[in-house]
């Protein structure tokens, strides 16, 4: 696996928690019998499996930029077509009734992400649905601690430009998408994930939010970074009565229907 690739194995350590938002997003899609469904940023196929259970008769495909994720998805769901694609340049060959995206658009630069959504929506038929959810957690202690750890250590210069763009506000999303849509449904959900301990919080974010921080570091500095980050988490998240840790995880959901 390339060093800049995503790890399906690491991601799936918390498969149940990461899949739940897919089900919550799917529950609000009004289209009942789509012909074609595309899972944008399908990861290891956990969200694709949710779509397959809901739409067994649809032509379902999954795309992701990570070869390791696509290998895992293809092995898990061998009857589904999965391909490595860059979402910035991806264009479907046929009209798509539902575009579905579970935690992908936060990784696209802020200036481009809604342009990608609108470009793909414009290829959809009337009544088509574009549904996506993204973490909305940059202000959470887990992510603030990443930024503080990055700024406080021998790696500070290396990581000085690392970080994820903030996501557009609900009104910005609505105002951008509504001219193309008959309906734009937006909501927030706060999940509280009960994790085994503070080390489990680190394991959770290692496959996602921490990747840009530890990716550029040497193995020695990476280990030191993680140790420092863990120390901050231990101060920020008190243990529960049973010795576990509650990780609050806000997510933003959007279901837009093409006019």
């Amino acid at each position: 696996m390339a060093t800049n690739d995503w790890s399906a194995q690491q991601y799936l350590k918390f498969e149940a928690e990461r899949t739940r938002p897919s089900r919550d997003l799917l529950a609000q899609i009004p289209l009942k019998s789509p012909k074609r469904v595309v899972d944008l940023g399908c990861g290891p196929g956990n969200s694709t499996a949710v779509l397959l259970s809901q739409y067994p008769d649809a032509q379902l495909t999954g795309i992701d930029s990570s070869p390791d994720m696509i290998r895992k998805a293809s092995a898990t769901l061998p009857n589904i077509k999965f391909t490595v694609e860059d979402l910035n340049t991806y264009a479907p060959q046929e009209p798509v009734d539902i575009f579905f995206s579970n935690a992908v658009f936060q990784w696209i630069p802020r200036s481009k992400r809604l342009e990608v959504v609108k470009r793909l929506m414009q290829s959809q038929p009337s009544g088509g649905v574009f549904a996506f959810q993204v973490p909305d957690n940059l202000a959470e202690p887990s992510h603030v601690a990443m930024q503080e750890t990055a700024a406080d250590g021998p790696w500070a210069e290396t990581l000085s430009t690392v970080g994820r763009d903030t996501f557009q506000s609900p009104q910005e999303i609505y105002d951008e998408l509504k001219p193309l849509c008959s309906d734009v449904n937006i909501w927030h959900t706060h999940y509280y994930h009960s994790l085994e301990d503070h080390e489990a919080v680190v394991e959770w974010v290692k496959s996602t939010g921490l990747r840009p921080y530890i990716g550029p570091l040497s193995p020695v500095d990476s280990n030191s970074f993680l140790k420092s980050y863990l120390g901050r988490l231990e101060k920020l998240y008190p243990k529960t009565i049973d010795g576990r840790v509650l990780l609050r995880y806000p997510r933003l959901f959007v279901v837009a229907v093409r006019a």
Side-chain angles (χ1 to χ4, degrees):
M1 186 175 69
T3 56
N4 61 347
D5 197 2
W6 290 70
S7 170
Q9 181 180 9
Q10 182 73 27
Y11 184 89
L12 289 172
K13 285 184 177 181
F14 303 95
E15 181 177 3
E17 293 88 348
R18 295 192 188 282
T19 305
R20 182 178 171 186
S22 296
R23 297 190 179 96
D24 293 345
L25 180 62
L26 180 60
Q28 298 302 319
I29 293 178
L31 198 57
K32 302 305 180 184
S33 300
K35 293 181 180 178
R36 296 184 181 88
V37 180
V38 177
D39 190 357
L40 302 171
C42 60
N46 55 315
S47 55
T48 317
V50 172
L51 291 168
L52 180 60
S53 66
Q54 181 71 18
Y55 306 120
D57 298 324
Q59 179 184 320
L60 178 58
T61 58
I63 69 168
D64 201 283
S65 62
S66 164
D68 190 57
M69 291 290 195
I70 290 297
R71 282 191 292 270
K72 177 62 175 177
S74 298
T76 303
L77 299 170
N79 294 325
I80 301 298
K81 181 181 178 181
F82 292 99
T83 58
V84 177
E85 300 275 1
D86 181 348
L87 194 52
N88 291 290
T89 56
Y90 164 73
Q93 296 180 346
E94 299 177 281
V96 175
D97 297 302
I98 297 177
F99 283 116
F100 187 91
S101 176
N102 184 51
V104 171
F105 278 92
Q106 74 274 17
W107 296 113
I108 296 178
R110 180 185 173 95
S111 62
K112 297 180 179 180
R113 59 176 66 118
L114 292 184
E115 292 306 313
V116 172
V117 173
K118 290 190 292 184
R119 174 176 60 80
L120 292 175
M121 283 201 72
Q122 287 168 342
S123 72
Q124 290 186 277
S126 177
V129 174
F130 198 112
F132 69 88
Q133 73 82 16
V134 292
D136 192 18
N137 56 359
L138 290 182
E140 290 299 301
S142 59
H143 284 62
V144 173
M146 292 180 197
Q147 300 162 19
E148 293 176 347
T149 304
D152 185 22
W155 44 72
E157 184 175 353
T158 301
L159 301 180
S160 61
T161 60
V162 170
R164 198 175 84 209
D165 290 345
T166 58
F167 212 88
Q168 281 83 348
S169 69
Q171 181 162 343
E172 288 175 308
I173 296 169
Y174 186 94
D175 288 347
E176 284 282 341
L177 300 187
K178 189 59 176 72
L180 296 173
C181 299
S182 60
D183 184 64
V184 181
N185 180 16
I186 305 173
W187 72 98
H188 270 100
T189 295
H190 286 74
Y191 299 90
Y192 287 82
H193 299 300
S194 174
L195 304 183
E196 184 177 359
D197 50 27
H198 294 95
E199 287 82 357
V201 179
V202 177
E203 289 300 307
W204 173 288
V205 295
K206 272 174 68 176
S207 67
T208 53
L210 269 181
R211 291 183 71 256
Y213 293 94
I214 60 178
L217 302 181
S218 68
V220 172
D221 280 348
S222 177
N223 288 333
S224 296
F225 183 99
L226 292 175
K227 183 177 179 180
S228 177
Y229 176 62
L230 175 61
R232 293 177 188 271
L233 293 181
E234 289 172 342
K235 296 176 182 177
L236 291 167
Y237 291 91
K239 288 192 174 183
T240 57
I241 193 170
D242 56 355
R244 298 176 68 85
V245 175
L246 277 183
L247 176 66
R248 187 173 77 161
Y249 209 96
R251 293 182 184 268
L252 173 68
F253 294 76
V254 179
V255 175
V257 180
R258 186 76 165 96

